[in-house]
Amino acid sequence: MGEVVVAAGTVVVLGALLIIPLFLIVNLLPWKPLPIGGWERLGVLLGGSLKAAVCALLVAVPLGIATAVFNAHFCAPRLRGWIKPSLEILEAIPTVVLGLIAVATLAPWLKLNIATLLATLVVVPALLLGAGMIFGHRLRRHQGWLPIGLLPVVLAIVALVVAVASQRSEVSIVPASPWNAVLIGLALGLAAVPLVFSIAADALMRIPAAHTQAALALGATRWQALTSIVLPAAASGLVAAIVLGASRCIGETMIVLMASGNTPLLGIDPLTGLRTISAELALGLPEAEPSSDVYRMLLLATLALFGLTFVLNLLAERVRASLRRTSTPGMYAA
Amino acid sequence: MRHGAAGDAGTWLIAGAASICLAVMLMVLLVLLSAGLAPFWPASLVELQLRDGRSVLGERVATSDDTLILRTSERERAGGAYMRIADRDIAAQTRADDAFVIALADGRRLFGRGDASAAAVMAREVASNAIVEETLRPNAMGTPTRIAVFFRHLGRFLGTPSVASASVGGALPALVGTVTLVLLMSLIVMPFGVATAVYLHERSGAAARLVRSAIANLAGVPSIVYGVLGLGLFVHGFGASIDRALYADRLPVPTFGSGGLLWAALTLALLTLPVVVVSVEEGLARIPASLRAGSLALGATRSETMWRLLLPAARPALLTGLILAIARAAGAVAPLMLVGVVKLAPALPIDGEFPYLHPSRQFMHLGFAVYDAALASPDAMRGIPRAFACALLLVGVVIALNLTAIVLRHRLRERYRALES
């Protein structure tokens, strides 16, 4: 009897995956052409989704992968026990809350301070690189605790930037809309950081510690061991992290719904608003009459969204599976 | 250049990225805490003497570089008495000790000065048919009194229903809606999730690989796609059929044929299935193989071993899966917008009337309350603080559930470590 229950449950799960594309295709099936402008609109929405995803990845990939690399390769073991749970808590924050912070707290500030943001993006990495060159060798023994040491510095820089920005009255870069792709990039990117981090960290942890130790024994620095041994070995896992991050960003709804302005414009200017497939579905479907033209167009948009994310997930799953086969996690014993 | 300097610089760069992640997380929590709790704090009242001779009494709700926005007595309707005042027009600012604020049950605030009788006169005059919720004198309050008032406001927010426009009053219906929804979803998702996990644990053939990759893909499908499925298949498909078969006399008014609690719970159950399967399977895999071998060696069948031994031993893993699923479901808002969440429901989905749980009713949800208050509120000065308050409540619920899961997972590990030794 137990076997029957188990089999029944499994069939339901398989059905659940199949039912989504089946439902969409069956409902679109007696194919009627879309109303005039339907394809153009779909294209604009798809472009909006891709633009939002690209902006978000520009934030999420550097932050997520750098944090994962530090966590796996340099981090003091006790600090490692803190970084991962912190990012898990960030992941647990519902996206509607991140959307709220984006639209109510970040957007009014960003509207006036795009130039400040750009300056920070140049100054902070330059400061870090410079400080590392000058002080790095003295603190090498303590580099496992660097993120905690740099935390007050980063917070101080942020406070300084905000203070300086509030003193100036003239605005040097005026965005076309306060709800623009830069804002989406920051908010959606923040939402995607934990996912990119956890998959990249998983891949990096699978690289046997013996490889690193061998490199160190031969006289390499930790950084050389990282760039010449660990990163090439984990490359496919990092690619999987980026692909899954992209899939997550394309499908995310609440942040883009709240903070993108929902203007169906297409263009590469990051200071204009956008409208994504997911936002169109959330706004349009509750009002659409079943089997009307609009409803069918929205189902087609859903199919496009499903297909796109499905392909990306499948790709990432393939890459990760091949990594799992080639690496032997049992050898990792720190 | 010194040997290794480039490497040091690179190390500092990625360490900086890690500390930016930590800093951002701290700032998000800080913004949430401060903006989410601020609405309950009794703010001081200010009286402004303007250069044109007028003087206005009210509550400062926003300030920018050269202007401030003051909420003055709302004699007509809530949100109808904001004044934007430029700093250069202000001659003097005072905080009178005898200033009072009357909060009415419909969300309006009245401001005035004088003793208790003046407040009573004002309340009678302006709001003869409105209920006075409380009269406060924030300027005369010491910090302990303010803290007491703060907790009273917080308690009222958690414990009372919303009224009329849903932009005032408490968050109780949204909280009840959220909790009822996730409980119903758990009842649906747990049996299927556990069955699939058991299957994956017991088998390792081509079929199991197929199911495993199906689960991985199911986890990556965007939540809004589940919402579309819920609307198209459950609501327009199943719901309309149920209506035609059982509630034909009520048509065209839909019973199950419009969004409601049951369909939302089913949609969320599909959404959270992968979470349950993955964590239960992980728990089963962690049970020492010797336990299972011992049971089979003593003559128990595979089915007996599963029901009597492995599943009870994996009980903490089941709980972990359940809690993670609940946390995921409590944060999923986008699919709900398609399958029956509303900004103001006429009745709770659960009440004292038979059959107590009403699966066809529309419901309110904390996450949707955040969205609605932030973007669709007619009074943005009240909407945004309210959205933050709801957001803090939602995050509190979700993080509490996640922390419970982490503690349970830890206990589970300790238990098996004891079994192995």
Side-chain angles (χ1 to χ4, degrees), chain A residues 110-200:
Chain A
L110 197 64
K111 186 174 67 176
L112 304 173
N113 292 302
I114 296 243
T116 320
L117 180 75
L118 284 178
T120 321
L121 284 183
V122 177
V123 169
V124 171
L127 271 181
L128 285 170
L129 284 174
M133 281 213 185
I134 298 165
F135 304 115
H137 66 288
R138 272 177 236 162
L139 293 172
R140 218 176 267 168
R141 281 176 53 204
H142 305 289
Q143 73 192 173
W145 288 94
L146 266 181
I148 297 299
L150 290 175
L151 191 60
V153 181
V154 168
L155 288 175
I157 293 177
V158 170
L160 191 72
V161 162
V162 172
V164 167
S166 65
Q167 293 299 312
R168 279 179 317 116
S169 51
E170 82 279 13
V171 178
S172 38
I173 302 180
V174 183
S177 149
W179 306 283
N180 49 46
V182 176
L183 178 68
I184 289 295
L186 291 177
L188 195 54
L190 176 60
V193 163
L195 180 76
V196 173
F197 166 83
S198 69
I199 293 166

Side-chain angles (χ1 to χ4, degrees), chain A:
Chain A
M1 179 243 163
E3 302 279 303
V4 178
V5 173
V6 166
T10 313
V11 166
V12 167
V13 172
L14 270 182
L17 185 70
L18 287 178
I19 205 169
I20 297 173
L22 271 182
F23 160 77
L24 292 171
I25 290 169
V26 163
N27 270 274
L28 285 166
L29 247 186
W31 175 252
K32 283 185 290 181
L34 289 180
I36 295 175
W39 287 108
E40 285 78 3
R41 186 162 177 92
L42 266 184
V44 169
L45 293 173
L46 190 61
S49 285
L50 293 178
K51 184 176 166 187
V54 167
C55 289
L57 285 181
L58 287 179
V59 174
V61 166
L63 280 183
I65 289 194
T67 309
V69 167
F70 188 88
N71 190 50
H73 197 71
F74 295 101
C75 202
R78 274 174 62 203
L79 180 61
R80 196 177 291 157
W82 281 99
I83 290 186
K84 200 172 162 57
S86 309
L87 282 160
E88 274 173 357
I89 285 186
L90 189 59
E91 187 165 35
I93 293 179
T95 50
V96 67
V97 175
L98 294 178
L100 172 68
I101 292 178
V103 78
T105 311
L106 197 54
W109 183 82
L110 197 64
K111 186 174 67 176
L112 304 173
N113 292 302
I114 296 243
T116 320
L117 180 75
L118 284 178
T120 321
L121 284 183
V122 177
V123 169
V124 171
L127 271 181
L128 285 170
L129 284 174
M133 281 213 185
I134 298 165
F135 304 115
H137 66 288
R138 272 177 236 162
L139 293 172
R140 218 176 267 168
R141 281 176 53 204
H142 305 289
Q143 73 192 173
W145 288 94
L146 266 181
I148 297 299
L150 290 175
L151 191 60
V153 181
V154 168
L155 288 175
I157 293 177
V158 170
L160 191 72
V161 162
V162 172
V164 167
S166 65
Q167 293 299 312
R168 279 179 317 116
S169 51
E170 82 279 13
V171 178
S172 38
I173 302 180
V174 183
S177 149
W179 306 283
N180 49 46
V182 176
L183 178 68
I184 289 295
L186 291 177
L188 195 54
L190 176 60
V193 163
L195 180 76
V196 173
F197 166 83
S198 69
I199 293 166
D202 189 41
L204 289 163
M205 285 298 197
R206 283 175 185 279
I207 308 302
H211 291 194
T212 314
Q213 284 156 4
L216 294 178
L218 290 173
T221 61
R222 275 202 96 76
W223 181 260
Q224 285 167 333
L226 173 72
T227 49
S228 55
I229 307 287
V230 176
L231 284 188
S236 56
L238 302 186
V239 171
I242 297 172
V243 172
L244 280 180
S247 154
R248 163 91 200 263
C249 291
I250 289 175
E252 175 50 48
T253 309
M254 289 320 286
I255 292 177
V256 285
L257 184 62
M258 293 174 85
S260 72
N262 292 318
T263 40
L265 298 168
L266 193 57
I268 53 165
D269 181 1
L271 295 179
T272 54
L274 50 88
R275 188 175 178 118
T276 66
I277 295 180
S278 49
E280 174 87 359
L281 293 176
L283 290 172
L285 257 185
E287 264 98 65
E289 199 63 32
S291 73
S292 65
D293 277 350
V294 178
Y295 187 77
R296 283 161 27 78
M297 200 207 88
L298 290 173
L299 286 189
L300 194 61
T302 317
L303 189 62
L305 184 61
F306 176 79
L308 196 56
T309 50
F310 188 82
V311 168
L312 288 177
N313 293 338
L314 215 57
L315 195 70
E317 198 52 39
R318 272 285 159 82
V319 173
R320 289 180 82 189
S322 76
L323 184 72
R324 245 175 251 142
R325 274 198 302 278
T326 52
S327 70
T328 40
M331 285 167 72
Y332 180 81

Side-chain angles (χ1 to χ4, degrees), chain B residues 241-265:
Chain B
S241 312
I242 293 177
D243 272 6
R244 273 196 299 277
L246 299 178
Y247 299 94
D249 48 330
R250 282 201 220 161
L251 283 174
V253 178
T255 307
F256 280 96
S258 71
L261 188 67
L262 176 65
W263 304 134

Side-chain angles (χ1 to χ4, degrees), chain B residues 98-291:
Chain B
D98 62 345
F100 60 80
V101 50
I102 304 173
L104 301 177
D106 58 3
R108 285 188 288 161
R109 302 254 177 110
L110 302 172
F111 302 95
R113 287 183 63 179
D115 53 9
S117 63
V121 168
M122 181 167 204
R124 213 173 321 119
E125 217 171 72
V126 180
S128 50
N129 48 3
I131 304 157
V132 175
E133 210 162 55
E134 61 180 3
T135 305
L136 295 177
R137 295 178 180 279
N139 290 359
M141 281 177 192
T143 311
T145 334
R146 282 191 196 228
I147 291 174
V149 171
F150 169 80
F151 279 107
R152 200 166 77 217
H153 286 171
L154 193 61
R156 195 180 295 148
F157 178 70
L158 295 180
T160 58
S162 352
V163 289
S165 64
S167 61
V168 289
L172 185 65
L175 192 59
V176 170
T178 311
V179 171
T180 320
L181 176 68
V182 293
L183 288 183
L184 192 57
M185 171 222 69
S186 321
L187 285 182
I188 301 169
V189 74
M190 281 314 280
F192 293 110
V194 173
T196 312
V198 168
Y199 174 83
L200 287 179
H201 183 65
E202 296 283 295
R203 304 289 166 83
S204 57
R209 270 206 302 281
L210 185 67
V211 173
R212 207 179 290 272
S213 94
I215 291 289
N217 277 299
L218 213 52
V221 174
S223 60
I224 188 82
V225 173
Y226 288 101
V228 175
L229 182 77
L231 179 72
L233 190 66
F234 298 156
V235 176
H236 293 327
F238 299 163
S241 312
I242 293 177
D243 272 6
R244 273 196 299 277
L246 299 178
Y247 299 94
D249 48 330
R250 282 201 220 161
L251 283 174
V253 178
T255 307
F256 280 96
S258 71
L261 188 67
L262 176 65
W263 304 134
L266 267 178
T267 309
L268 286 189
L270 273 181
L271 181 74
T272 51
L273 196 58
V275 181
V276 176
V277 174
V278 168
S279 82
V280 173
E281 200 206 344
E282 200 181 304
L284 284 172
R286 213 168 265 147
I287 297 174
S290 58
L291 223 64

